[in-house]
Amino acid sequence: MYEFDWSSIPGALPFLWDGMKISLEITAQAIVIGIVWGTLLAMMRLSSVKPLSWFAAGYVNLFRAVPLVMVLLWFFLIVPKFIEHLFNFPPGADLRLSSAMMGFALFESAYYSEIIRAGIQSVPKGQISASYALGMTYGQAMRLVVLPQAFRNMIPLLLTQAIILFQDTSLVYVSALADFFGAAYKVGDRDGRLVEMLLFAGAVYFVICFSVSRLVKHFQNKYHPA
Amino acid sequence: MIKINNVSKHYGSFQVLTDCSTSVSKGEVIVVCGPSGSGKSTLIKCVNGLEQFQSGEIIVNGISVGDPKTNLSKLRAGVGMVFQNFELFPHMSITENLAIAQVKVLGRSKEEAMDKGLKLLDRVGLKAQAAKFPGQLSGGQQQRVAIARALAMDPSCMLFDEPTSALDPEMVNEVLDVMTELAQEGMTMMCVTHEMGFARRVAHRVIFMDQGRIVEDDAKEAFFANPRSERAQQFLAKILQH
């Protein structure tokens, strides 16, 4: 019978907390970039300018058709070399962390853009007509009328995606980043208590994600009572 | 003020408007009626360029709507439009609905826009609702706010696209009353509506459309007393039974 030994956890908490900060940082960055870039992609996709719409469709389809781990590895292994070469950075300049984070954000943008596209389409077309009839330009109609309503409709979906995203951050361990999962793994490995650490890490992920998803439900009921 | 010359429009092979010509002079009130699918809503949306047309021309205040060089936003800012489904902005309060385009399009100050908005709100009898959101108002109230919102831009003319069609019967009159008042004050109006009572009371001319064509374009008295086309006679016979 396996004997559980949890004693290495308390001492490792500061280290794990540092990892959690990285996980949260990556999540926050990916949410911000994902929403901004995703909004632009969604607007391109819906644009009547064909090349823009093709570009956005291609982008979204590409990123949604490859595994995240692969994208992270591309950005970890290939992109830094490429940038070094392009801008003549000295080899070994540490672009890997930011490059991996970038890859993560660009990947998530594809998913955000689809959510945002659906959100924009959920706003009745008459709202755009009414904005135009009042003399607004396309940009004003989008910014003042359509997007605020679209985002309001999307809040639950955006939050749900944020939860998925937070879980996905654990995949950055492939680039040796010490996020929460990576930190837990390292500690477990060092102390020979991998099983306990991974169970503990799983429990932490569960508690965070489950509470946030309850929060989403709460908001959903508040703003869209059935 | 509004000149429509030989306007035609098609979606693919489907002809929506065929050779429509008419004009609206300053202070005139025109009612456009006809069976559904006759193109009347499309025609009125062509006037401010919400719908494009393939041939013919529409001139509003001396500016050609179809000309690619025309600044459509600027033209639309001077033409009020009221929609069947009100189309108030649900995420803004009533005051914000009234002020937003004044501020963002006409460049008025916030105070000026609020002031003007409140005055117009008072005029349509809804001053007490200023702080509410569109979803908290009845359909009739929302439509009156929509009229006030259009008027806040100081339009030279107003387009109404079936403004009472989406309303419960008991709310139709409050909207028609506002429109009647507006007409009596000399506003130039083009109204797509089935409200024949309103047409009789207020309109100067009635346009009857069928299958994308303007079939009749007559002074109100002549139209109601003696419609020339058989199609209009049938239409009136049906609609006036109620």
Side-chain angles (χ1 to χ4, degrees):
Chain A
M1 188 67 197
Y2 186 84
E3 293 272 323
F4 284 107
D5 174 7
W6 306 96
S7 60
S8 61
I9 292 176
L13 281 178
F15 184 61
L16 290 174
W17 172 239
D18 285 344
M20 180 55 80
K21 279 194 285 196
I22 291 186
S23 292
L24 291 174
E25 196 185 328
I26 298 173
T27 306
Q29 186 207 254
I31 290 174
V32 172
I33 297 180
I35 288 177
V36 173
W37 178 222
T39 304
L40 291 173
L41 281 170
M43 285 171 66
M44 284 191 232
R45 183 91 190 253
L46 295 171
S47 151
S48 53
V49 183
K50 285 285 168 242
L52 285 182
S53 159
W54 290 332
F55 168 76
Y59 181 98
V60 170
N61 287 325
L62 174 73
F63 276 103
R64 297 214 309 170
V66 289
L68 174 56
V69 176
M70 201 119 74
V71 175
L72 289 176
L73 278 176
W74 287 343
F75 272 81
F76 178 58
L77 297 172
I78 305 167
V79 176
K81 293 247 159 52
F82 180 70
I83 295 177
E84 264 169 30
H85 188 74
L86 200 67
F87 298 104
N88 261 328
F89 277 125
D94 198 13
L95 295 165
R96 274 174 231 161
L97 188 132
S98 38
S99 153
M101 281 168 94
M102 204 41 124
F104 197 79
L106 292 180
F107 180 88
E108 295 295 339
S109 303
Y111 285 84
Y112 270 113
S113 100
E114 286 297 279
I115 294 174
I116 293 164
R117 181 165 71 116
I120 292 176
Q121 284 175 323
S122 75
V123 178
K125 274 198 104 174
Q127 291 281 304
I128 284 229
S129 298
S131 316
Y132 282 163
L134 286 166
M136 290 187 197
T137 59
Y138 173 78
Q140 287 176 320
M142 276 315 240
R143 195 161 41 82
L144 302 170
V145 177
V146 176
L147 289 178
Q149 292 183 61
F151 276 102
R152 195 162 297 195
N153 297 342
M154 285 181 304
I155 286 175
L157 274 177
L158 290 175
L159 286 172
T160 308
Q161 182 66 26
I163 297 171
I164 298 174
L165 207 155
F166 175 64
Q167 294 168 14
D168 284 352
T169 56
S170 60
L171 287 174
V172 299
Y173 84 92
V174 296
S175 55
L177 272 177
D179 72 317
F180 178 68
F181 177 74
Y185 194 94
K186 270 183 199 156
V187 172
D189 210 24
R190 184 195 64 196
D191 299 350
R193 287 290 158 204
L194 204 50
V195 174
E196 287 85 348
M197 282 315 292
L198 291 187
L199 281 173
F200 174 70
V204 171
Y205 276 112
F206 175 81
V207 168
I208 293 176
C209 294
F210 187 71
S211 347
V212 176
S213 82
R214 297 308 301 182
L215 209 68
V216 174
K217 273 246 163 58
H218 173 77
F219 275 120
Q220 220 164 356
N221 293 336
K222 199 166 161 192
Y223 291 112
H224 301 280
Chain B
M1 175 159 277
I2 302 173
K3 273 209 182 76
I4 301 177
N5 295 327
N6 301 312
V7 167
S8 296
K9 174 184 175 66
H10 53 82
Y11 294 115
S13 63
F14 180 67
Q15 194 78 23
V16 198
L17 296 174
T18 311
D19 255 342
C20 294
S21 298
T22 189
S23 65
V24 186
S25 4
K26 192 166 174 7
E28 215 176 6
V29 178
I30 308 278
V31 162
V32 184
C33 61
S36 51
S38 60
K40 49 199 192 313
S41 281
T42 310
L43 181 68
I44 203 172
K45 283 181 180 157
C46 283
V47 173
N48 65 352
L50 285 182
E51 292 270 2
Q52 292 170 337
F53 45 95
Q54 280 87 16
S55 65
E57 62 168 4
I58 297 181
I59 310 283
V60 178
N61 294 323
I63 297 162
S64 168
V65 177
D67 187 339
K69 276 175 286 185
T70 297
N71 181 342
L72 266 185
S73 304
K74 200 172 162 203
L75 182 143
R76 287 176 183 139
V79 178
M81 185 157 201
V82 175
F83 297 84
Q84 185 174 353
N85 293 314
F86 332 131
E87 304 299 353
L88 294 179
F89 305 134
H91 58 301
M92 299 179 194
S93 70
I94 299 304
T95 4
E96 287 168 329
N97 263 280
L98 289 160
I100 182 99
Q102 294 186 68
V103 174
K104 300 287 178 181
V105 176
L106 300 180
R108 289 180 184 154
S109 73
K110 256 209 162 110
E111 297 72 43
E112 195 187 351
M114 290 281 181
D115 214 41
K116 173 125 195 161
L118 283 176
K119 266 188 200 133
L120 285 161
L121 205 55
D122 193 23
R123 193 171 139 187
V124 298
L126 293 172
K127 202 171 188 179
Q129 321 292 335
K132 291 193 179 162
F133 281 78
Q136 297 170 294
L137 303 190
S138 73
Q141 289 175 323
Q142 288 190 52
Q143 194 61 299
R144 281 145 67 197
V145 172
I147 295 174
R149 180 175 70 174
L151 290 175
M153 304 293 285
D154 292 321
S156 62
C157 55
M158 289 279 288
L159 308 172
F160 291 86
D161 184 12
E162 306 209 25
T164 57
S165 302
L167 295 177
D168 290 338
E170 73 263 32
M171 291 169 187
V172 168
N173 279 329
E174 59 186 85
V175 171
L176 290 180
D177 287 346
V178 171
M179 289 169 63
T180 305
E181 223 172 88
L182 209 56
Q184 284 161 352
E185 285 163 22
M187 176 59 82
T188 310
M189 293 163 60
M190 197 167 171
C191 319
V192 173
T193 180
H194 293 293
E195 300 295 336
M196 288 301 122
F198 171 77
R200 265 182 207 275
R201 261 182 297 133
V202 181
H204 299 111
R205 260 169 49 224
V206 178
I207 289 174
F208 178 77
M209 292 184 69
D210 188 33
Q211 297 183 342
R213 290 173 193 275
I214 293 183
V215 182
E216 307 233 0
D217 184 349
D218 259 327
K220 157 183 71 176
E221 297 77 10
F223 178 78
F224 284 111
N226 193 12
R228 282 174 300 188
S229 68
E230 204 181 318
R231 194 67 191 80
Q233 285 168 15
Q234 288 168 356
F235 178 78
L236 278 180
K238 271 188 196 143
I239 212 165
L240 293 181
Q241 271 172 3
H242 308 290

